[in-house]
Amino acid sequence: MKIIILGAGQVGSSLATVLSHETRNSVTVVDTDASALSRLQERLDIRTVQGYGAQPSVLGEAGAADADVLIAVTSADDTNMLACEVAWVLYRTPTKIARIRVSDFLDHPALFDNNAIPVDYMISPERLIKDYIVRLIEYPDALQVRDFADGKLRLIGMRADADGPLVGQPIHYLAALLPDVEARVAAIFRRDTPLHPDGATVIEADDEVFFLARTEDIRKVMSVMRRLDRPYRRIMIAGGGNIGGGLAAALESRFQVKLISNNPEKARKLSADLDHTIVLTGSATDSELLIEENIEDMDVFLALTNDDEDNILAAMLAKRLGARKVMCIVNRSEYVDLIHMGTIDIALSPHNITIGSLITRLRRGDVVSVHSLRRGAAEAMEIIARGDANTSQVVGRRVDALKLPPGTTIGALLREGRVLIAHNNTVIEADDHVILFLTDKRHVRDIEQLFTVRFGFF
């Protein structure tokens, strides 16, 4: 595919990196910032064009006349929408994806079609990360939570603890501990090294374990990995922007929420808009303010401002002052890696969360969803098996007979609305939704080819 990306910020540059590394795409990045484009070209095999992305001549220079996909992810909604319109009216670009930040637009999807504002798919990083944080708060012991099969199935990443009943035991012992629950351990990372688990693999303390289970069974499986923490009640949010304010609105009916904003005008507006949240004006790096607001009683402290350094400092300070768990948004990938095993419990990367949603729209075959895991090192995907035994390499075959790439696990199937946890003797049928876990993203293309229907199906 020929892909044009407008915007060389965190989302655009991360997307360019993924697309140029793992697929045979022709990628062009457009931005007004020459230095940002230069940095991208130094490390990626891509084209760059300097200019205003919604301008016809700039899009023409970027190759819009024969582009398959336009992805507009600049920081300005109007630029993204206008670029999609220009690409459609002048160049008939088949697929147009736009980053939309203003919720007022997102709440009116009827605006977006080729007869109005020609945007095929809307991406809102702020809404995606807000929803993701809500999931993490629902599961206090989880490091990552991902939904599959229309929410019927969840993939959970968590750290095994020495007091967990399954720790020190082989995985097949899970059936004895939970005889009425089906789950599949998809991967284990031990000291950052991936292990491909089977029934005889012994789970050790501090292993990062990823497992798939039906949503209603998640807590039962988590309880055998470690003694579960008590549910959260008190939450403090630093940052009153789209993410912080939206998160407070989503949580305030179920939790006791305090929000800190360093912008007095924004704090007043939030105070008027939110029904049950206590809104404070000040800096989240002010220890006196945190102590005065009883930071030691907080179950979760979330640093969600636009400044990475402030987020890291505020989260570290909150942890030192007694907050039970701290999370912070970190946009720079080098910072995420730096603090991963430090005093901060969870580093949230908006662009990693956004990438999965974008990649889903670009993958070959019937890919339903894609989730980037472990800071982009691993991936989970849901893909539909098409064809029959004659035209497909997977339909009609047992799981243990498939030629899966190294480090790949089939965890579950969605068949006619029913979730089936995959076993070695499970036979894949036509139209099954197959949920896979890949510890090495370099094999994504191999999975796509494995699920490609051969000539004759049509």
Side-chain angles (χ1 to χ4, degrees):
M1 290 190 294
K2 294 183 178 180
I3 300 169
I4 300 174
I5 300 172
L6 305 186
Q10 287 291 340
V11 175
S13 59
S14 298
L15 184 61
T17 300
V18 171
L19 292 174
S20 63
H21 282 170
E22 71 174 37
T23 59
R24 299 173 184 176
N25 295 323
S26 170
V27 178
T28 301
V29 179
V30 179
D31 200 284
T32 56
D33 186 342
S35 59
L37 295 175
S38 178
R39 287 192 297 271
L40 277 177
Q41 266 200 316
E42 286 175 1
R43 59 186 182 85
L44 302 176
D45 183 18
I46 60 172
R47 284 186 66 230
T48 61
V49 174
Q50 184 183 1
Y52 175 57
Q55 193 171 323
S57 60
V58 174
L59 283 174
E61 185 182 352
D66 58 355
D68 299 295
V69 183
L70 173 74
I71 307 174
V73 287
T74 75
S75 59
D77 288 359
D78 52 355
T79 297
N80 297 335
M81 290 186 287
L82 179 58
C84 289
E85 185 163 11
V86 172
W88 174 248
V89 172
L90 295 184
Y91 302 109
R92 285 298 191 261
T93 304
T95 302
K96 302 160 293 296
I97 302 172
R99 175 184 183 177
I100 307 292
R101 304 180 69 182
V102 177
S103 59
D104 203 16
F105 288 120
L106 295 169
D107 294 336
H108 295 86
L111 289 171
F112 300 96
D113 66 43
N114 286 340
N115 295 317
I117 303 174
V119 175
D120 300 299
Y121 304 109
M122 294 176 289
I123 297 294
S124 171
E126 292 81 5
R127 185 169 287 190
L128 289 170
I129 196 164
K130 181 205 72 176
D131 293 343
Y132 181 66
I133 293 171
V134 170
R135 287 280 182 266
L136 288 175
I137 289 173
E138 290 174 351
Y139 298 101
D141 299 273
L143 298 173
Q144 289 194 278
V145 182
R146 297 297 192 183
D147 282 2
F148 290 99
D150 297 324
K152 297 182 178 72
L153 187 74
R154 282 191 176 149
L155 175 72
I156 300 287
M158 63 183 301
R159 197 166 299 285
D161 197 53
D163 60 4
L166 190 59
V167 177
Q169 302 289 341
I171 290 173
H172 66 74
Y173 188 56
L174 178 62
L177 290 172
L178 299 172
D180 299 325
V181 172
E182 277 203 300
R184 180 71 186 268
V185 175
I188 297 173
F189 288 84
R190 183 169 296 161
R191 293 179 287 276
D192 283 336
T193 300
L195 304 179
H196 188 65
D198 56 32
T201 303
V202 175
I203 293 178
E204 297 182 2
D206 292 327
D207 281 353
E208 191 174 337
V209 181
F210 285 85
F211 69 86
L212 279 160
R214 293 178 180 86
T215 299
E216 62 267 24
D217 294 330
I218 289 296
R219 294 189 190 280
K220 295 176 183 177
V221 182
M222 292 179 74
S223 69
V224 303
M225 301 291 180
R226 62 183 301 127
R227 184 177 299 156
L228 296 184
D229 284 344
R230 68 183 187 277
Y232 297 143
R233 289 196 310 153
R234 302 181 183 90
I235 297 171
M236 183 178 286
I237 299 169
N242 290 336
I243 298 174
L247 183 63
L251 298 176
E252 64 176 357
S253 63
R254 294 178 289 159
F255 302 90
Q256 298 174 29
V257 181
K258 291 183 178 181
L259 185 149
I260 302 173
S261 173
N262 61 6
N263 184 319
E265 183 178 343
K266 187 171 288 185
R268 282 192 294 272
K269 185 177 187 308
L270 286 168
S271 183
D273 292 343
L274 297 169
D275 296 323
H276 307 293
T277 300
I278 297 173
V279 180
L280 309 164
T281 303
S283 170
T285 59
D286 181 348
S287 60
E288 291 185 5
L289 175 62
L290 295 182
I291 293 170
E292 183 179 333
E293 294 302 325
N294 304 310
I295 186 65
E296 72 278 6
D297 294 330
M298 293 296 148
D299 294 311
V300 189
F301 175 87
L302 295 140
L304 309 177
T305 76
N306 292 322
D307 189 295
D308 282 0
E309 287 81 2
D310 276 358
N311 287 341
I312 293 170
L313 288 172
M316 293 176 68
L317 178 62
K319 190 73 170 181
R320 185 173 66 82
L321 293 175
R324 177 175 153 199
K325 179 169 282 189
V326 299
M327 309 180 200
C328 70
I329 283 180
V330 183
N331 286 290
R332 295 178 61 177
S333 57
E334 57 268 33
Y335 284 0
V336 175
D337 294 335
L338 182 66
I339 66 177
H340 177 58
M341 297 299 290
T343 57
I344 295 172
D345 296 295
I346 297 178
L348 303 160
S349 173
H351 58 275
N352 272 348
I353 293 170
T354 305
I355 289 303
S357 185
L358 285 166
I359 291 296
T360 299
R361 309 298 182 186
L362 302 176
R363 283 280 158 79
R364 296 175 176 84
D366 289 288
V367 176
V368 177
S369 60
V370 176
H371 295 297
S372 181
L373 305 169
R374 297 200 86 251
R375 310 181 303 286
E379 187 168 290
M381 65 191 301
E382 179 178 346
I383 187 169
I384 302 175
R386 301 292 193 191
D388 54 32
N390 295 320
T391 59
S392 169
Q393 299 175 74
V394 296
V395 173
R397 290 163 176 78
R398 289 167 45 123
V399 167
D400 58 4
L402 300 180
K403 296 180 180 178
L404 296 173
T408 302
T409 302
I410 292 181
L413 311 173
L414 179 67
R415 180 177 296 164
E416 297 178 347
R418 295 180 297 117
V419 172
L420 307 175
I421 301 300
H423 302 285
N424 286 337
N425 62 352
T426 301
V427 177
I428 297 176
E429 297 181 3
D431 299 325
D432 280 352
H433 288 228
V434 183
I435 291 88
L436 305 102
F437 190 103
L438 296 83
T439 58
D440 188 342
K441 285 180 62 175
R442 290 177 298 178
H443 295 301
V444 165
R445 178 63 175 153
D446 298 329
I447 291 295
E448 292 175 348
Q449 290 179 333
L450 182 67
F451 279 78
T452 299
V453 178
R454 290 195 291 265
F455 181 74
F457 175 62
F458 301 102

